């Protein structure tokens, strides 16, 4: 998109357990640059509970958000009145936290007289590869985080088609539950990956649910149950048992993700034969090196392109929200100050479409 002015956006993210703010610039040619990206993880607040406690999360966002925004402005070397718009996650997510971020963004937008952009968190993940790698539309996104596991065809800003998702747990959630079962702590993904390095991935043949079916959906709860039953059968577990279970679980999910990604890329090629096949990975599970290495092998074999943004931008952050806001603003969109926070908000809804007249 040429011929447009450069815009500077403040982005705010508070939908889960990261309090985050970032300043991103979108230049005249549509390229993005991160001026600051401050993330405060609430891991310590939730550690004792083995998962995210929504009420504690909301309180910590209230306590920290002003400081995080001030730090993001400071690191960007800008005053608040120098930004062109304020973007904040308006959903989906834990509603208490979303309200903290969105309300703060509304107050800033109103007091500064700047446009507000109420961003869908999933759109933030979906468009990050354009900020980091300038990826052109269309592309396939595999989002694998603690709350989501889905394939989405990204045709344009606001233009999404969901090709498959999980029918029970998200992939990150499955890692977290297995880690809890093996008393490896929270968040589980990195802990399972670490311990799996000294384990035998072949020792247990865990199920690969739905894998024989053609649909692009995931199911992880049967696998999780199989892991639990195996752990109970072996109890008390030796360190080697724990490592072998972790490695065998990771092998099963890698197999599932790789098989589904291969199918999704085949569908992309069949439905969009004139377009280069591109797979963009987003979400915290993208940090898993066994999974990312296996995905690299799949794209090499299918002749597709794999885009894996830096891990700090795959996990929740404010830059992805600022960038999604910048992309929407460039198309003439902005939101009313009355816009509501939404605990549930799928990407493939008509109201995601950019409609510059509606705002
Ligand atoms: O995207 P994210 O930071 O937060 C949201 O859920 O939105 O993703 C966090 C999830 C957690 O479930 C965590 O266990 C998982 O990503 N995760 C991993 C790894 N690092 C983080 N899962 C597997 N292997 C990892 N190395
Ligand atoms: Zn996320």
């Amino acid at each position: 998109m040429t011929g447009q002015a450069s815009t500077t956006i403040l982005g705010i993210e508070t939908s889960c357990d990261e309090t985050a703010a970032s300043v991103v610039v979108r230049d005249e040619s549509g390229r993005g640059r991160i001026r600051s990206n401050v993330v405060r993880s609430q891991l310590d607040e939730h550690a004792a509970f083995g998962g995210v406690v929504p009420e504690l999360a909301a309180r910590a966002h209230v306590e920290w958000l002003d400081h995080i925004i001030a730090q993001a402005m400071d690191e960007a070397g800008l005053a608040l009145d120098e930004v062109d718009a304020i973007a904040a996650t308006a959903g989906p997510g834990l509603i208490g936290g979303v309200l903290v971020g969105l309300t703060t963004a509304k107050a800033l937008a109103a007091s500064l007289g700047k446009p507000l952009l109420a961003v869908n968190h999933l759109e933030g993940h979906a468009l990050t590869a354009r900020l980091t790698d300038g990826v052109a539309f269309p592309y396939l996104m595999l989002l694998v985080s603690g709350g989501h596991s889905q394939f989405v065809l990204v045709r344009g800003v606001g233009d999404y088609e969901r090709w498959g998702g999980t029918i029970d747990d998200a992939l990150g959630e499955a890692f977290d539950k297995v880690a809890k079962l093996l008393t490896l702590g929270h968040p589980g993904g990195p802990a399972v990956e670490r311990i799996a390095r000294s384990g035998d991935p072949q020792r247990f043949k865990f199920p690969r649910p739905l894998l024989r079916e053609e649909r692009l959906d995931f199911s992880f709860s049967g696998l999780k149950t199989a892991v639990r039953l195996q752990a109970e059968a072996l109890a008390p577990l030796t360190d080697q048992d724990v490592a072998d279970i972790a490695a065998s679980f990771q092998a099963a999910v890698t197999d599932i993700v790789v098989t589904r990604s291969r199918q999704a890329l085949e569908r992309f090629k069949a439905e969009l034969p004139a377009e280069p096949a591109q797979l963009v990975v987003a979400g915290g599970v993208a940090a898993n090196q066994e999974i990312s290495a296996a995905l690299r092998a799949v794209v090499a074999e299918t002749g597709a392109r794999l885009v894996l943004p830096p891990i700090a931008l795959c996990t929740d952050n404010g830059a992805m929200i600022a960038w999604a806001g910048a992309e929407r603003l460039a198309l003439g969109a902005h939101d009313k100050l009355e816009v509501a926070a939404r605990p549930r908000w799928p990407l493939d809804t008509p109201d995601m479409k950019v409609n510059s007249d509606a705002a």
Side-chain angles (χ1 to χ4, degrees):
M1 221 140 303
T2 48
Q4 288 183 335
S6 156
T7 49
T8 302
I9 314 284
L10 169 65
I12 296 171
E13 159 58 36
T14 54
S15 69
C16 191
D17 60 344
E18 266 95 25
T19 310
S22 163
V23 177
V24 169
V25 176
R26 181 184 183 280
D27 71 16
E28 302 79 359
S29 62
R31 271 193 305 263
R33 189 160 49 89
I34 298 175
R35 300 266 312 237
S36 65
N37 189 23
V38 183
V39 180
R40 181 187 179 273
S41 164
Q42 301 176 357
L43 274 182
D44 291 347
E45 276 93 338
H46 304 290
F49 304 95
V52 179
V53 184
E55 178 63 26
L56 291 183
R59 287 187 204 190
H61 290 308
V62 170
E63 192 181 332
W64 284 94
L65 184 57
D66 287 353
H67 307 290
I68 298 297
I69 292 173
Q71 193 181 336
M73 297 312 304
D74 198 39
E75 288 181 15
L78 293 172
L80 273 171
D81 61 5
E82 290 178 277
V83 305
D84 297 303
I86 315 288
T89 299
L94 300 174
I95 196 68
V98 173
L99 278 167
V100 173
L102 184 59
T103 308
T104 302
K106 287 179 179 181
L108 285 172
S111 63
L112 298 165
K114 310 276 179 174
L116 170 75
L117 293 137
V119 171
N120 182 315
H121 178 89
L122 303 175
E123 178 161 69
H125 280 302
L127 300 179
T128 296
R130 290 170 52 75
L131 166 64
T132 58
D133 296 79
V135 179
F137 298 123
Y139 52 87
L140 184 65
M141 172 182 63
L142 168 63
L143 173 61
V144 274
S145 70
H148 302 274
S149 301
Q150 47 189 256
F151 284 108
V152 175
L153 174 65
V154 181
R155 289 186 187 278
V157 177
D159 191 357
Y160 306 97
E161 203 178 296
R162 195 168 175 279
W163 279 6
T166 179
I167 59 173
D168 40 57
D169 294 345
L171 182 52
E173 190 181 358
F175 267 98
D176 294 336
K177 287 180 176 169
V178 165
K180 198 168 181 177
L181 184 85
L182 299 175
T183 61
L184 297 174
H186 187 84
V192 169
E193 181 174 17
R194 199 176 322 111
I195 201 110
R197 284 195 201 109
S198 50
D200 173 6
Q202 319 253 308
R203 176 160 165 211
F204 307 108
K205 185 76 185 154
F206 290 131
R208 275 85 166 138
L210 295 186
L211 213 54
R212 272 189 224 102
E213 294 183 32
E214 281 299 303
R215 55 202 266 212
L216 289 173
D217 290 324
F218 297 105
S219 166
F220 297 109
S221 83
L223 168 60
K224 182 188 66 195
T225 303
V227 170
R228 180 172 55 77
L229 293 176
Q230 186 59 256
E232 285 171 4
L234 290 174
L237 300 178
T238 65
D239 287 353
Q240 194 59 53
D241 290 335
V242 170
D244 292 346
I245 291 174
S248 301
F249 163 77
Q250 192 171 258
V253 298
T254 302
D255 212 9
I256 295 167
V257 169
V258 161
T259 306
R260 281 289 178 263
S261 300
R262 189 181 290 119
Q263 284 170 307
L265 282 168
E266 291 309 327
R267 175 167 167 188
F268 186 102
K269 287 183 183 170
E271 291 194 14
L272 300 106
E275 305 289 349
Q278 310 183 91
L279 177 65
V280 166
V281 189
V285 184
N288 187 288
Q289 291 180 20
E290 177 157 326
I291 294 176
S292 57
L295 285 173
R296 265 190 206 98
V298 174
V299 296
E301 155 204 322
T302 56
R305 173 187 181 200
L306 179 72
V307 180
L308 226 166
I311 288 309
L313 295 173
C314 282
T315 55
D316 291 349
N317 64 85
M320 71 184 201
I321 303 305
W323 176 252
E327 293 240 60
R328 294 186 82 83
L329 188 69
L331 296 173
H334 62 93
D335 292 283
K336 297 194 173 95
L337 286 177
E338 304 85 84
V339 66
R342 301 171 66 165
R344 288 183 48 75
W345 189 4
L347 267 184
D348 55 343
T349 44
D351 66 0
M352 284 303 300
K353 287 249 156 52
V354 178
N355 179 358
S356 41
D357 300 333

